[in-house]
Amino acid sequence: AERPWVCKPVMAAPPPSAPGEPAPPPPPLQYSLLLQHLVGDKRQPRVWDPAALGGIPCPPKSEEQKMVERVMESCPFKAALACVGGFVLGGAFGIFTAGIDTNVGFDPKDPYRTPTAKEVLKDMGQRGISYAKNFAIVGAMFSCTECVVESYRGKSDWKNSVISGCITGGAIGFRAGLKAGVIGCGGFAAFSAAVDYYLR
């Protein structure tokens, strides 16, 4: 227990400096207090504000720039861009699959004859063109459908990809029957949802 009659040492305050004498040096700053203000609980994060540094000048857009933006955000432009991208991707995929296929260039009437390089290249080109056309049609249909669905809903989320994937897969599968259309709708919708989830 603390004894009230025991005298405790009292730190004497530094004597005031005379008018002509220099002021006494301040007490040294404790390292632990400094760390609390730098990385401890008392640290206050500074919010980065571009306006504090003057900001980035943003000149007003001209009418030509606005028109170009409207064209690039329109559904026909997106569908055309997806069509071109699908054509290139499908052509590359078709040539790749033809390159690893051992039956490319063989004549079914004479299977023992070795095909020439010209026949192999011809078959690779035909398969590449076929894949390119199919990919271009699917890409254009999906992009155009997604743009229409997004414009109708007024939102940009994962539901647009799922709905447009279902419509595209169903339209492609319905050519082989109702069952194939339902399977195509579900499969393409699931694939679109997975791609959208991965990209986001």
Side-chain angles (χ1 to χ4, degrees):
E2 186 178 358
R3 299 178 180 178
W5 61 84
V6 178
C7 296
K8 297 181 181 179
V10 179
M11 299 296 295
S17 59
E21 296 180 359
L29 183 62
Q30 295 183 7
Y31 186 67
S32 59
L33 296 178
L34 181 62
L35 284 179
Q36 288 181 5
H37 287 279
L38 291 178
V39 295
D41 298 335
K42 297 182 179 181
R43 178 179 177 269
Q44 297 180 358
R46 298 178 60 185
V47 180
W48 184 77
D49 187 8
L53 301 177
I56 301 175
C58 184
K61 297 179 181 180
S62 60
E63 293 297 330
E64 290 80 7
Q65 292 177 339
K66 294 179 181 179
M67 183 180 67
V68 170
E69 288 183 356
R70 286 194 297 267
V71 171
M72 293 181 66
E73 293 176 357
S74 61
C75 293
F77 180 82
K78 291 181 179 179
L81 189 63
C83 181
V84 174
F87 188 87
V88 175
L89 181 63
F93 185 73
I95 293 174
F96 174 75
T97 55
I100 61 176
D101 190 359
T102 57
N103 295 325
V104 173
F106 282 92
D107 187 3
K109 297 179 181 179
D110 190 7
Y112 296 101
R113 185 179 64 86
T114 302
T116 62
K118 183 178 180 180
E119 292 173 348
V120 172
L121 292 176
K122 182 180 179 181
D123 283 358
M124 291 177 66
Q126 290 178 352
R127 182 176 295 190
I129 292 296
S130 176
Y131 275 69
K133 290 180 180 178
N134 293 332
F135 274 63
I137 293 174
V138 173
M141 288 178 59
F142 179 81
S143 179
C144 186
T145 306
E146 185 180 20
C147 184
V148 172
V149 171
E150 183 178 349
S151 301
Y152 176 77
R153 295 184 66 241
K155 298 179 181 179
S156 178
D157 53 8
W158 60 273
K159 295 181 181 180
N160 296 335
S161 300
V162 174
I163 295 173
S164 56
C166 180
I167 295 175
T168 304
I172 295 174
F174 275 136
R175 296 183 299 177
L178 179 61
K179 184 178 180 180
V182 173
I183 295 175
C185 173
F188 215 107
F191 178 74
S192 302
V195 172
D196 188 82
Y197 177 78
Y198 177 77
L199 293 178
R200 290 178 185 270

